[in-house]
Structures are given as C-alpha cells and as structure tokens.
Amino acid sequence: MAERVLVTHSTEETIRCGREIGKRLTPPVLILLSGDLGAGKTTLTKGLASGLGAAQEDEVTSPTFTLVHKYERGARLYHVDLYRIASSEDFETLGLEDIFDERAVVVIEWADKLDLETESPILRIKLEHVSENERRISIDDAAGLL
Ligand code: ADP
Ligand code: MG
C-alpha cells in the first residue's frame, strides 16, 4: 500500500484510524504528521499509542509545551510536537536525537519544520480540515510499513 486517502467524520473515527495503523507497526518507525492546528494530529496519535499498546488513548495529551511525551506500557512511543520550535533549530539542539536510537515509534507533529536525518522507516500522514467534524487523512506509506 503506497498511498491511501480517507475521510473521517468524527473524533472517534480518527482515533480508530490511528488505532488500526498503530496495531500494524513494528518499531522502530518514524511517523511524520502534518496539518494545521486542529487538524487532528494529536487525536490521531491517541489512536496510534492505543493500537501500538503504548498507552490508553485518554492518557495521550498534547506535548505542545513540553516538546515530547513518552509512553511505554509495553511498546514505546514518543510523541513530539514542534509547533513552538523555530524552524532553524536542528534535532541535536533539541536533544531529541537519542530517541531515534531506541526501538520506539516516534510521532512528530509539525515535522516539516526540521530536516530529519534518521535510518528509521518513515510513515507520512497529512491531516486536513474538511468541515467541523470531517478530516481528510492521507497516508503515504512509501516504505511499505502497513
Ligand atoms: P492538532 O493536534 O492537529 O492541532 P487536535 O487533535 O489537537 O489537532 O484537535 C482536533 C480537534 O478537532 C479536536 O478538538 C477534535 O475533537 C476535533 N475533531 C472534530 N472532528 C474530528 C475528526 N473527524 N478527526 C479528528 N478530530 C476531530
Ligand atoms: Mg497537536
């Protein structure tokens, strides 16, 4: 499966979509999330963590102010949010490079702000606001992870 596009019609449906993806992942995997504020990146991550078995969906909250959250009940998932990071910074400055050496799923919101260099297989997911409760989710699985 190279690219798949779907539209969800509720918060719960987006979580479910994340859960289905999370179930299929074998770490290490880097998941790059793009999309505007409110597009559903954090909501999708709730499902990813739940499907992977790293956290329950209600334990997953936005790391906007903390930069990174770590969940590891069983599998390990890092949830990074670069929203408040200047685009000129690099990953070493942020002190995040070590997480790529771990066998974890790393989910990054606003990933396009940085030039990421990693050996990990990558899954790109773009979320777009369609209407109040609809989101278009485009999954680019060029590495064939799903
Ligand atoms: P982001 O992390 O991209 O800024 P969030 O996941 O934090 O976005 O917020 C998405 C908001 O939109 C939440 O309040 C969520 O309940 C709401 N929402 C409504 N419909 C959907 C949907 N279909 N998918 C995801 N979120 C939705
Ligand atoms: Mg968010």
Side-chain angles (χ1 to χ4, degrees):
M1 187 190 77
E3 175 145 47
R4 190 174 73 187
V5 181
L6 58 117
V7 174
T8 63
H9 303 85
S10 67
T11 302
E12 178 51 42
E13 199 181 338
T14 294
I15 293 175
R16 216 180 304 139
C17 171
R19 214 182 280 135
E20 290 309 312
I21 295 170
K23 276 183 198 167
R24 294 162 182 258
L25 297 176
T26 306
V29 174
L30 176 59
I31 303 182
L32 305 181
L33 301 182
S34 62
D36 293 337
L37 267 187
K41 301 180 295 299
T42 296
T43 301
L44 186 79
T45 305
K46 288 173 180 283
L48 291 169
S50 152
L52 182 71
Q56 289 173 355
E57 61 196 49
D58 54 359
E59 294 175 309
V60 176
T61 55
S62 179
T64 304
F65 294 97
T66 45
L67 191 63
V68 56
H69 286 165
K70 178 182 187 178
Y71 302 98
E72 54 176 348
R73 76 166 59 206
R76 187 174 305 159
L77 180 141
Y78 286 95
H79 183 194
V80 181
D81 188 346
L82 301 178
Y83 180 62
R84 297 173 70 250
I85 298 302
S87 36
S88 53
E89 291 192 65
D90 62 26
F91 235 53
E92 282 77 35
T93 315
L94 298 173
L96 292 174
E97 75 274 25
D98 288 346
I99 68 179
F100 290 118
D101 299 334
E102 299 184 28
R103 198 161 67 222
V105 170
V106 179
V107 180
I108 306 186
E109 301 193 28
W110 302 97
D112 25 4
K113 286 192 164 201
L114 292 183
D115 242 353
L116 294 167
E117 283 176 38
T118 167
E119 312 270 282
S120 297
I122 293 178
L123 186 63
R124 290 174 201 276
I125 305 179
K126 181 174 75 179
L127 295 102
E128 295 165 287
H129 187 284
V130 178
S131 69
E132 187 181 351
N133 291 309
E134 289 175 309
R135 302 291 186 273
R136 184 179 303 110
I137 303 178
S138 307
I139 304 165
D140 175 0
D141 182 22
L145 305 175
L146 301 179

PDB file of all heavy atoms in Angstrom, residues 43-74:
ATOM      1  N   THR A  43      -5.153  13.932  18.053  1.00  0.00           N
ATOM      2  CA  THR A  43      -6.247  12.953  18.118  1.00  0.00           C
ATOM      3  C   THR A  43      -5.833  11.636  17.472  1.00  0.00           C
ATOM      4  O   THR A  43      -6.044  10.554  18.029  1.00  0.00           O
ATOM      5  CB  THR A  43      -7.492  13.531  17.402  1.00  0.00           C
ATOM      6  OG1 THR A  43      -7.863  14.749  18.042  1.00  0.00           O
ATOM      7  CG2 THR A  43      -8.653  12.549  17.423  1.00  0.00           C
ATOM      8  N   LEU A  44      -5.199  11.712  16.308  1.00  0.00           N
ATOM      9  CA  LEU A  44      -4.730  10.505  15.632  1.00  0.00           C
ATOM     10  C   LEU A  44      -3.681   9.787  16.482  1.00  0.00           C
ATOM     11  O   LEU A  44      -3.665   8.550  16.549  1.00  0.00           O
ATOM     12  CB  LEU A  44      -4.132  10.863  14.264  1.00  0.00           C
ATOM     13  CG  LEU A  44      -3.738   9.669  13.406  1.00  0.00           C
ATOM     14  CD1 LEU A  44      -4.974   9.068  12.729  1.00  0.00           C
ATOM     15  CD2 LEU A  44      -2.711  10.037  12.338  1.00  0.00           C
ATOM     16  N   THR A  45      -2.839  10.565  17.160  1.00  0.00           N
ATOM     17  CA  THR A  45      -1.779   9.981  17.987  1.00  0.00           C
ATOM     18  C   THR A  45      -2.357   9.190  19.160  1.00  0.00           C
ATOM     19  O   THR A  45      -1.767   8.195  19.593  1.00  0.00           O
ATOM     20  CB  THR A  45      -0.810  11.082  18.477  1.00  0.00           C
ATOM     21  OG1 THR A  45      -0.324  11.795  17.336  1.00  0.00           O
ATOM     22  CG2 THR A  45       0.359  10.492  19.241  1.00  0.00           C
ATOM     23  N   LYS A  46      -3.508   9.627  19.671  1.00  0.00           N
ATOM     24  CA  LYS A  46      -4.181   8.846  20.727  1.00  0.00           C
ATOM     25  C   LYS A  46      -4.436   7.420  20.233  1.00  0.00           C
ATOM     26  O   LYS A  46      -4.198   6.442  20.941  1.00  0.00           O
ATOM     27  CB  LYS A  46      -5.517   9.497  21.110  1.00  0.00           C
ATOM     28  CG  LYS A  46      -5.390  10.783  21.895  1.00  0.00           C
ATOM     29  CD  LYS A  46      -6.769  11.426  22.063  1.00  0.00           C
ATOM     30  CE  LYS A  46      -6.691  12.730  22.842  1.00  0.00           C
ATOM     31  NZ  LYS A  46      -6.540  12.510  24.294  1.00  0.00           N
ATOM     32  N   GLY A  47      -4.908   7.317  19.002  1.00  0.00           N
ATOM     33  CA  GLY A  47      -5.167   6.006  18.434  1.00  0.00           C
ATOM     34  C   GLY A  47      -3.891   5.236  18.151  1.00  0.00           C
ATOM     35  O   GLY A  47      -3.820   4.025  18.374  1.00  0.00           O
ATOM     36  N   LEU A  48      -2.868   5.946  17.658  1.00  0.00           N
ATOM     37  CA  LEU A  48      -1.595   5.278  17.366  1.00  0.00           C
ATOM     38  C   LEU A  48      -1.039   4.633  18.634  1.00  0.00           C
ATOM     39  O   LEU A  48      -0.615   3.474  18.619  1.00  0.00           O
ATOM     40  CB  LEU A  48      -0.582   6.293  16.818  1.00  0.00           C
ATOM     41  CG  LEU A  48      -0.869   6.865  15.426  1.00  0.00           C
ATOM     42  CD1 LEU A  48       0.053   8.049  15.135  1.00  0.00           C
ATOM     43  CD2 LEU A  48      -0.700   5.791  14.356  1.00  0.00           C
ATOM     44  N   ALA A  49      -1.049   5.398  19.744  1.00  0.00           N
ATOM     45  CA  ALA A  49      -0.499   4.895  21.014  1.00  0.00           C
ATOM     46  C   ALA A  49      -1.314   3.721  21.523  1.00  0.00           C
ATOM     47  O   ALA A  49      -0.770   2.729  22.031  1.00  0.00           O
ATOM     48  CB  ALA A  49      -0.470   6.022  22.046  1.00  0.00           C
ATOM     49  N   SER A  50      -2.617   3.827  21.377  1.00  0.00           N
ATOM     50  CA  SER A  50      -3.502   2.764  21.851  1.00  0.00           C
ATOM     51  C   SER A  50      -3.333   1.490  21.015  1.00  0.00           C
ATOM     52  O   SER A  50      -3.215   0.391  21.551  1.00  0.00           O
ATOM     53  CB  SER A  50      -4.941   3.298  21.825  1.00  0.00           C
ATOM     54  OG  SER A  50      -5.852   2.265  21.648  1.00  0.00           O
ATOM     55  N   GLY A  51      -3.283   1.645  19.697  1.00  0.00           N
ATOM     56  CA  GLY A  51      -3.134   0.479  18.820  1.00  0.00           C
ATOM     57  C   GLY A  51      -1.796  -0.202  18.987  1.00  0.00           C
ATOM     58  O   GLY A  51      -1.686  -1.430  18.928  1.00  0.00           O
ATOM     59  N   LEU A  52      -0.766   0.602  19.218  1.00  0.00           N
ATOM     60  CA  LEU A  52       0.569   0.056  19.420  1.00  0.00           C
ATOM     61  C   LEU A  52       0.668  -0.664  20.758  1.00  0.00           C
ATOM     62  O   LEU A  52       1.469  -1.581  20.928  1.00  0.00           O
ATOM     63  CB  LEU A  52       1.595   1.202  19.363  1.00  0.00           C
ATOM     64  CG  LEU A  52       3.067   0.829  19.500  1.00  0.00           C
ATOM     65  CD1 LEU A  52       3.541   0.107  18.234  1.00  0.00           C
ATOM     66  CD2 LEU A  52       3.924   2.057  19.763  1.00  0.00           C
ATOM     67  N   GLY A  53      -0.150  -0.216  21.715  1.00  0.00           N
ATOM     68  CA  GLY A  53      -0.087  -0.791  23.055  1.00  0.00           C
ATOM     69  C   GLY A  53       0.860  -0.038  23.970  1.00  0.00           C
ATOM     70  O   GLY A  53       1.381  -0.585  24.929  1.00  0.00           O
ATOM     71  N   ALA A  54       1.081   1.254  23.673  1.00  0.00           N
ATOM     72  CA  ALA A  54       1.998   2.060  24.483  1.00  0.00           C
ATOM     73  C   ALA A  54       1.268   2.864  25.555  1.00  0.00           C
ATOM     74  O   ALA A  54       1.847   3.232  26.571  1.00  0.00           O
ATOM     75  CB  ALA A  54       2.793   3.010  23.591  1.00  0.00           C
ATOM     76  N   ALA A  55      -0.008   3.162  25.323  1.00  0.00           N
ATOM     77  CA  ALA A  55      -0.794   3.956  26.271  1.00  0.00           C
ATOM     78  C   ALA A  55      -2.269   3.819  25.924  1.00  0.00           C
ATOM     79  O   ALA A  55      -2.621   3.419  24.814  1.00  0.00           O
ATOM     80  CB  ALA A  55      -0.399   5.427  26.196  1.00  0.00           C
ATOM     81  N   GLN A  56      -3.105   4.153  26.893  1.00  0.00           N
ATOM     82  CA  GLN A  56      -4.529   4.261  26.587  1.00  0.00           C
ATOM     83  C   GLN A  56      -4.759   5.620  25.940  1.00  0.00           C
ATOM     84  O   GLN A  56      -4.044   6.576  26.228  1.00  0.00           O
ATOM     85  CB  GLN A  56      -5.358   4.137  27.865  1.00  0.00           C
ATOM     86  CG  GLN A  56      -5.345   2.726  28.409  1.00  0.00           C
ATOM     87  CD  GLN A  56      -6.006   2.615  29.765  1.00  0.00           C
ATOM     88  OE1 GLN A  56      -6.407   3.603  30.354  1.00  0.00           O
ATOM     89  NE2 GLN A  56      -6.102   1.395  30.252  1.00  0.00           N
ATOM     90  N   GLU A  57      -5.766   5.697  25.095  1.00  0.00           N
ATOM     91  CA  GLU A  57      -5.921   6.922  24.307  1.00  0.00           C
ATOM     92  C   GLU A  57      -6.133   8.157  25.182  1.00  0.00           C
ATOM     93  O   GLU A  57      -5.673   9.243  24.852  1.00  0.00           O
ATOM     94  CB  GLU A  57      -7.060   6.767  23.297  1.00  0.00           C
ATOM     95  CG  GLU A  57      -8.398   6.510  23.948  1.00  0.00           C
ATOM     96  CD  GLU A  57      -9.422   5.970  22.966  1.00  0.00           C
ATOM     97  OE1 GLU A  57      -9.091   5.012  22.239  1.00  0.00           O
ATOM     98  OE2 GLU A  57     -10.535   6.500  22.942  1.00  0.00           O
ATOM     99  N   ASP A  58      -6.799   7.999  26.336  1.00  0.00           N
ATOM    100  CA  ASP A  58      -7.057   9.185  27.176  1.00  0.00           C
ATOM    101  C   ASP A  58      -5.822   9.610  27.978  1.00  0.00           C
ATOM    102  O   ASP A  58      -5.813  10.664  28.605  1.00  0.00           O
ATOM    103  CB  ASP A  58      -8.269   8.977  28.082  1.00  0.00           C
ATOM    104  CG  ASP A  58      -8.157   7.723  28.935  1.00  0.00           C
ATOM    105  OD1 ASP A  58      -7.142   7.010  28.802  1.00  0.00           O
ATOM    106  OD2 ASP A  58      -9.076   7.468  29.736  1.00  0.00           O
ATOM    107  N   GLU A  59      -4.759   8.804  27.942  1.00  0.00           N
ATOM    108  CA  GLU A  59      -3.507   9.201  28.592  1.00  0.00           C
ATOM    109  C   GLU A  59      -2.681  10.121  27.689  1.00  0.00           C
ATOM    110  O   GLU A  59      -1.751  10.769  28.153  1.00  0.00           O
ATOM    111  CB  GLU A  59      -2.650   7.966  28.903  1.00  0.00           C
ATOM    112  CG  GLU A  59      -3.246   7.040  29.943  1.00  0.00           C
ATOM    113  CD  GLU A  59      -2.409   5.773  30.121  1.00  0.00           C
ATOM    114  OE1 GLU A  59      -2.091   5.108  29.102  1.00  0.00           O
ATOM    115  OE2 GLU A  59      -2.078   5.467  31.263  1.00  0.00           O
ATOM    116  N   VAL A  60      -3.007  10.129  26.402  1.00  0.00           N
ATOM    117  CA  VAL A  60      -2.204  10.883  25.443  1.00  0.00           C
ATOM    118  C   VAL A  60      -2.715  12.313  25.356  1.00  0.00           C
ATOM    119  O   VAL A  60      -3.852  12.559  24.984  1.00  0.00           O
ATOM    120  CB  VAL A  60      -2.253  10.216  24.055  1.00  0.00           C
ATOM    121  CG1 VAL A  60      -1.496  11.055  23.021  1.00  0.00           C
ATOM    122  CG2 VAL A  60      -1.663   8.803  24.128  1.00  0.00           C
ATOM    123  N   THR A  61      -1.834  13.263  25.744  1.00  0.00           N
ATOM    124  CA  THR A  61      -2.189  14.682  25.674  1.00  0.00           C
ATOM    125  C   THR A  61      -1.141  15.399  24.844  1.00  0.00           C
ATOM    126  O   THR A  61      -0.051  14.882  24.616  1.00  0.00           O
ATOM    127  CB  THR A  61      -2.231  15.298  27.084  1.00  0.00           C
ATOM    128  OG1 THR A  61      -0.975  15.057  27.719  1.00  0.00           O
ATOM    129  CG2 THR A  61      -3.346  14.661  27.919  1.00  0.00           C
ATOM    130  N   SER A  62      -1.472  16.599  24.401  1.00  0.00           N
ATOM    131  CA  SER A  62      -0.584  17.322  23.502  1.00  0.00           C
ATOM    132  C   SER A  62       0.721  17.731  24.186  1.00  0.00           C
ATOM    133  O   SER A  62       0.709  18.337  25.251  1.00  0.00           O
ATOM    134  CB  SER A  62      -1.284  18.577  22.979  1.00  0.00           C
ATOM    135  OG  SER A  62      -0.402  19.272  22.133  1.00  0.00           O
ATOM    136  N   PRO A  63       1.867  17.428  23.565  1.00  0.00           N
ATOM    137  CA  PRO A  63       3.155  17.852  24.130  1.00  0.00           C
ATOM    138  C   PRO A  63       3.584  19.228  23.626  1.00  0.00           C
ATOM    139  O   PRO A  63       4.776  19.511  23.543  1.00  0.00           O
ATOM    140  CB  PRO A  63       4.106  16.745  23.647  1.00  0.00           C
ATOM    141  CG  PRO A  63       3.510  16.277  22.364  1.00  0.00           C
ATOM    142  CD  PRO A  63       2.027  16.566  22.393  1.00  0.00           C
ATOM    143  N   THR A  64       2.632  20.095  23.325  1.00  0.00           N
ATOM    144  CA  THR A  64       2.966  21.405  22.754  1.00  0.00           C
ATOM    145  C   THR A  64       3.949  22.169  23.622  1.00  0.00           C
ATOM    146  O   THR A  64       4.887  22.787  23.127  1.00  0.00           O
ATOM    147  CB  THR A  64       1.697  22.252  22.566  1.00  0.00           C
ATOM    148  OG1 THR A  64       0.791  21.519  21.751  1.00  0.00           O
ATOM    149  CG2 THR A  64       2.022  23.565  21.891  1.00  0.00           C
ATOM    150  N   PHE A  65       3.760  22.137  24.940  1.00  0.00           N
ATOM    151  CA  PHE A  65       4.605  22.945  25.816  1.00  0.00           C
ATOM    152  C   PHE A  65       5.783  22.173  26.400  1.00  0.00           C
ATOM    153  O   PHE A  65       6.735  22.759  26.877  1.00  0.00           O
ATOM    154  CB  PHE A  65       3.757  23.562  26.931  1.00  0.00           C
ATOM    155  CG  PHE A  65       2.784  24.542  26.368  1.00  0.00           C
ATOM    156  CD1 PHE A  65       1.471  24.176  26.113  1.00  0.00           C
ATOM    157  CD2 PHE A  65       3.196  25.827  26.032  1.00  0.00           C
ATOM    158  CE1 PHE A  65       0.585  25.078  25.546  1.00  0.00           C
ATOM    159  CE2 PHE A  65       2.309  26.730  25.458  1.00  0.00           C
ATOM    160  CZ  PHE A  65       0.993  26.352  25.215  1.00  0.00           C
ATOM    161  N   THR A  66       5.712  20.846  26.339  1.00  0.00           N
ATOM    162  CA  THR A  66       6.775  20.020  26.912  1.00  0.00           C
ATOM    163  C   THR A  66       7.694  19.454  25.841  1.00  0.00           C
ATOM    164  O   THR A  66       8.689  18.844  26.158  1.00  0.00           O
ATOM    165  CB  THR A  66       6.155  18.852  27.692  1.00  0.00           C
ATOM    166  OG1 THR A  66       5.118  18.288  26.896  1.00  0.00           O
ATOM    167  CG2 THR A  66       5.563  19.317  29.000  1.00  0.00           C
ATOM    168  N   LEU A  67       7.323  19.644  24.581  1.00  0.00           N
ATOM    169  CA  LEU A  67       8.067  19.172  23.411  1.00  0.00           C
ATOM    170  C   LEU A  67       7.910  17.672  23.163  1.00  0.00           C
ATOM    171  O   LEU A  67       7.655  17.257  22.043  1.00  0.00           O
ATOM    172  CB  LEU A  67       9.551  19.539  23.520  1.00  0.00           C
ATOM    173  CG  LEU A  67      10.386  19.354  22.266  1.00  0.00           C
ATOM    174  CD1 LEU A  67       9.903  20.255  21.140  1.00  0.00           C
ATOM    175  CD2 LEU A  67      11.857  19.626  22.557  1.00  0.00           C
ATOM    176  N   VAL A  68       8.071  16.878  24.220  1.00  0.00           N
ATOM    177  CA  VAL A  68       7.992  15.438  23.982  1.00  0.00           C
ATOM    178  C   VAL A  68       7.331  14.717  25.163  1.00  0.00           C
ATOM    179  O   VAL A  68       7.558  15.066  26.318  1.00  0.00           O
ATOM    180  CB  VAL A  68       9.403  14.856  23.695  1.00  0.00           C
ATOM    181  CG1 VAL A  68      10.370  15.172  24.799  1.00  0.00           C
ATOM    182  CG2 VAL A  68       9.339  13.353  23.451  1.00  0.00           C
ATOM    183  N   HIS A  69       6.488  13.778  24.851  1.00  0.00           N
ATOM    184  CA  HIS A  69       5.916  12.862  25.841  1.00  0.00           C
ATOM    185  C   HIS A  69       6.350  11.448  25.487  1.00  0.00           C
ATOM    186  O   HIS A  69       6.446  11.105  24.317  1.00  0.00           O
ATOM    187  CB  HIS A  69       4.380  12.915  25.844  1.00  0.00           C
ATOM    188  CG  HIS A  69       3.816  14.147  26.475  1.00  0.00           C
ATOM    189  ND1 HIS A  69       2.497  14.519  26.318  1.00  0.00           N
ATOM    190  CD2 HIS A  69       4.388  15.081  27.268  1.00  0.00           C
ATOM    191  CE1 HIS A  69       2.287  15.641  26.992  1.00  0.00           C
ATOM    192  NE2 HIS A  69       3.405  16.014  27.571  1.00  0.00           N
ATOM    193  N   LYS A  70       6.590  10.663  26.527  1.00  0.00           N
ATOM    194  CA  LYS A  70       7.000   9.274  26.315  1.00  0.00           C
ATOM    195  C   LYS A  70       5.953   8.353  26.932  1.00  0.00           C
ATOM    196  O   LYS A  70       5.526   8.566  28.067  1.00  0.00           O
ATOM    197  CB  LYS A  70       8.347   9.069  27.016  1.00  0.00           C
ATOM    198  CG  LYS A  70       8.905   7.663  26.942  1.00  0.00           C
ATOM    199  CD  LYS A  70      10.224   7.623  27.735  1.00  0.00           C
ATOM    200  CE  LYS A  70      10.941   6.296  27.580  1.00  0.00           C
ATOM    201  NZ  LYS A  70      12.237   6.309  28.314  1.00  0.00           N
ATOM    202  N   TYR A  71       5.544   7.365  26.175  1.00  0.00           N
ATOM    203  CA  TYR A  71       4.580   6.371  26.678  1.00  0.00           C
ATOM    204  C   TYR A  71       5.204   4.998  26.503  1.00  0.00           C
ATOM    205  O   TYR A  71       5.710   4.691  25.420  1.00  0.00           O
ATOM    206  CB  TYR A  71       3.267   6.447  25.895  1.00  0.00           C
ATOM    207  CG  TYR A  71       2.630   7.815  25.948  1.00  0.00           C
ATOM    208  CD1 TYR A  71       2.808   8.725  24.913  1.00  0.00           C
ATOM    209  CD2 TYR A  71       1.871   8.211  27.046  1.00  0.00           C
ATOM    210  CE1 TYR A  71       2.241   9.994  24.967  1.00  0.00           C
ATOM    211  CE2 TYR A  71       1.300   9.477  27.118  1.00  0.00           C
ATOM    212  CZ  TYR A  71       1.489  10.361  26.066  1.00  0.00           C
ATOM    213  OH  TYR A  71       0.934  11.609  26.130  1.00  0.00           O
ATOM    214  N   GLU A  72       5.158   4.185  27.511  1.00  0.00           N
ATOM    215  CA  GLU A  72       5.775   2.868  27.335  1.00  0.00           C
ATOM    216  C   GLU A  72       5.153   1.807  28.228  1.00  0.00           C
ATOM    217  O   GLU A  72       5.841   1.156  28.991  1.00  0.00           O
ATOM    218  CB  GLU A  72       7.295   2.916  27.546  1.00  0.00           C
ATOM    219  CG  GLU A  72       7.746   3.513  28.845  1.00  0.00           C
ATOM    220  CD  GLU A  72       9.266   3.435  29.005  1.00  0.00           C
ATOM    221  OE1 GLU A  72       9.920   2.727  28.232  1.00  0.00           O
ATOM    222  OE2 GLU A  72       9.780   4.084  29.917  1.00  0.00           O
ATOM    223  N   ARG A  73       3.869   1.659  28.140  1.00  0.00           N
ATOM    224  CA  ARG A  73       3.304   0.493  28.814  1.00  0.00           C
ATOM    225  C   ARG A  73       3.331  -0.645  27.783  1.00  0.00           C
ATOM    226  O   ARG A  73       2.426  -0.843  26.991  1.00  0.00           O
ATOM    227  CB  ARG A  73       1.926   0.798  29.393  1.00  0.00           C
ATOM    228  CG  ARG A  73       0.807   0.857  28.448  1.00  0.00           C
ATOM    229  CD  ARG A  73      -0.564   0.837  29.100  1.00  0.00           C
ATOM    230  NE  ARG A  73      -0.851   1.905  30.038  1.00  0.00           N
ATOM    231  CZ  ARG A  73      -1.731   1.767  31.030  1.00  0.00           C
ATOM    232  NH1 ARG A  73      -2.364   0.639  31.203  1.00  0.00           N
ATOM    233  NH2 ARG A  73      -2.000   2.777  31.819  1.00  0.00           N
ATOM    234  N   GLY A  74       4.449  -1.389  27.764  1.00  0.00           N
ATOM    235  CA  GLY A  74       4.632  -2.383  26.707  1.00  0.00           C
ATOM    236  C   GLY A  74       5.498  -1.787  25.633  1.00  0.00           C
ATOM    237  O   GLY A  74       6.679  -1.555  25.831  1.00  0.00           O
TER     238      GLY A  74
END
